[in-house]
Amino acid sequence: MTEDEGDAAESGRSDAGPPPDDPDEAADIDGASGSDVDATTGADSDTAVASAPPVDAADSRREKRPRPEPGSATTGSQRFLTRFRTAQSGPLVFIRETLYSVVAVLTVGFLLFAISGVWPPMVAVESGSMDPQMQRGDLIFVTEPQRFSPDYAYSETGVVTVEIGSENGYRSFGGNGSVVIYDPPNRRGSPIIHRAHFYVDKGENWYDEANSRYVQASNCAELTNCPAPHAGFITKGDANTRYDQASGIAGPVRPGWIRGTARFRIPYLGYVRLKLVGALAA
């Protein structure tokens, strides 16, 4: 071989480049040469990408959210609530109806309290001292004395006496004046529900102001609580023959003793409360 031929051979090897040693590199080179076939799968690369299913973001979040295991506390609670709401018989029905009744009673009670401003907003009549306007077993709705009272009520007490009611035409429960519920501090038993007749000051001789039919005395000295030991209202049950103060039921009723003013009655419904109180006392 001549020198020129050797140079030519060497030049040929240099132009051809070194043979590929790595098969992966060879595949890359082949792919770069214009082939659209994927070296790994032999499939068209564009077709392979298009056939992949789309991934929904919401599905992805749902898959990541932990799911309650069967028998878990959450699943058990949901099943119990469903049974509790849909049960048609058995102890769950009794418990559900009792619970609904209690909730209904409490709701009505709080609504009445919001209207009346006193608790309890309803009282039961226990005696016949206010016959025939109030009878034993009636349920009486009571409000705070200042609520719904006219401007001419006595001072700032909210109570309209028989005297003031007669002058202004104010009537309640078949007579002039307010019917009040009061509870003297030294009294044992239930509060008293009677009509307010007039107001006296401390030391006042109220015999001359009183209706002689309701005192059964000849003068102040023979009349209980006369002169008045303290300021307050002179009260009487419509069916009673004497004032409460003349019979010794209570002294003049201080405004602070008054728990409320009677507004209207519901016949017979008070028997339920009286029976419950009697059963608890027994």
Side-chain angles (χ1 to χ4, degrees):
M1 178 182 298
T2 63
E3 184 176 353
D4 293 335
E5 291 175 346
D7 293 336
E10 184 68 24
S11 176
R13 286 194 300 271
S14 176
D15 293 338
D21 294 331
D22 188 1
D24 292 335
E25 292 180 1
D28 291 340
I29 294 172
D30 290 341
S33 64
S35 174
D36 291 332
V37 179
D38 183 75
T40 304
T41 62
D44 185 78
S45 59
D46 292 338
T47 304
V49 171
S51 62
V55 178
D56 185 45
D59 292 340
S60 177
R61 287 194 298 271
R62 284 195 294 269
E63 290 178 0
K64 293 179 181 180
R65 186 179 302 138
R67 299 171 183 240
E69 295 294 332
S72 66
T74 303
T75 304
S77 300
Q78 292 174 347
R79 290 177 179 174
F80 175 78
L81 291 175
T82 301
R83 292 199 305 271
F84 182 78
R85 291 193 304 267
T86 60
Q88 300 297 322
S89 62
L92 286 181
V93 175
F94 175 78
I95 296 173
R96 184 184 64 203
E97 297 305 319
T98 301
L99 181 60
Y100 288 168
S101 299
V102 170
V103 171
V105 170
L106 290 177
T107 301
V108 173
F110 282 118
L111 178 61
L112 291 176
F113 171 71
I115 296 173
S116 67
V118 296
W119 188 265
M122 308 194 83
V123 297
V125 178
E126 299 181 7
S127 71
S129 64
M130 284 294 294
D131 280 344
Q133 309 304 329
M134 295 182 184
Q135 299 178 352
R136 188 177 186 275
D138 288 350
L139 195 65
I140 307 299
F141 179 66
V142 181
T143 69
E144 187 181 23
Q146 289 79 10
R147 295 199 179 194
F148 314 117
S149 63
D151 296 335
Y152 49 79
Y154 184 82
S155 187
E156 296 179 356
T157 63
V159 176
V160 179
T161 64
V162 171
E163 289 180 332
I164 298 175
S166 300
E167 295 172 359
N168 294 275
Y170 180 91
R171 295 178 63 84
S172 67
F173 294 94
N176 295 315
S178 301
V179 176
V180 297
I181 296 89
Y182 70 93
D183 192 9
N186 58 349
R187 174 181 170 79
R188 292 185 178 182
S190 302
I192 300 169
I193 179 167
H194 283 171
R195 196 179 301 275
H197 280 249
F198 55 93
Y199 191 87
V200 297
D201 294 320
K202 181 179 178 180
E204 180 179 344
N205 178 354
W206 55 275
Y207 176 83
D208 295 334
E209 187 178 357
N211 188 321
S212 60
R213 293 180 299 173
Y214 305 140
V215 293
Q216 297 181 2
S218 301
N219 52 57
C220 181
E222 297 178 2
L223 182 60
T224 306
N225 290 300
C226 186
H230 55 261
F233 292 99
I234 302 299
T235 56
K236 189 183 82 70
D238 288 359
N240 291 350
T241 58
R242 289 189 293 172
Y243 295 113
D244 298 343
Q245 292 66 35
S247 61
I249 293 177
V253 178
R254 298 178 186 270
W257 297 356
I258 297 177
R259 295 176 53 177
T261 302
R263 296 300 177 184
F264 63 85
R265 73 184 183 106
I266 305 175
Y268 309 116
L269 196 57
Y271 275 114
V272 177
R273 183 180 182 278
L274 296 179
K275 294 294 184 182
L276 289 175
V277 171
L280 293 175

